[in-house]
Amino acid sequence: MPLRKNKLHPLRQRALDNVWRHGLSDVQKKIVNALDARFNETEAEPSLEEIAAATGLSYGAVWTAIAVLEHFGYVVICRDHKGRALRRGVMFMYGFNLAGLAE
């Protein structure tokens, strides 16, 4: 049975379209840098709430940015058989570091 393609929420789709036009936003860069710093300390996958706390961003901003970062391969979101993200399902892809680009 083929995997079904997850349709992006319109907010996430707009964010993705903006990246194609303007590059990663400051919010997205901040999340990548926070994940990079976290995985230097521990390899445990964070929840969206923990990413929001680490970056000082709202849950909604993190929720939107994570889909964009997944599209471009910065993170992988582990999903169940119905396509729902698992609670601690955000894995950072090593080798990506946007230090110097953010803030």
Side-chain angles (χ1 to χ4, degrees):
M1 182 160 108
L3 294 173
R4 66 183 180 144
K5 185 174 178 172
N6 290 333
K7 185 176 176 185
L8 285 179
H9 185 276
L11 185 62
R12 287 178 163 181
Q13 186 61 55
R14 281 193 304 270
L16 184 58
D17 294 342
N18 284 334
V19 171
W20 282 114
R21 281 189 229 112
H22 309 291
L24 291 177
S25 70
D26 290 340
V27 167
Q28 293 154 349
K29 291 175 188 175
K30 191 172 187 176
I31 291 171
V32 169
N33 289 330
L35 287 171
D36 183 49
R38 179 190 170 93
F39 282 108
N40 286 339
E41 299 167 5
T42 179
E43 292 184 12
E45 289 87 9
S47 65
L48 290 181
E49 293 88 357
E50 290 171 337
I51 296 170
T55 58
L57 300 168
S58 70
Y59 180 88
V62 172
W63 178 84
T64 302
I66 285 295
V68 172
L69 296 175
E70 179 186 34
H71 179 83
F72 287 104
Y74 289 102
V75 298
V76 174
I77 299 174
C78 299
R79 300 182 188 281
D80 65 11
H81 68 283
K82 291 187 177 181
R84 294 177 297 220
L86 301 175
R87 171 147 167 71
R88 294 194 170 274
V90 178
M91 293 186 295
F92 184 68
M93 301 306 292
Y94 290 99
F96 289 107
N97 186 339
L98 299 176
L101 295 178
E103 296 153 299

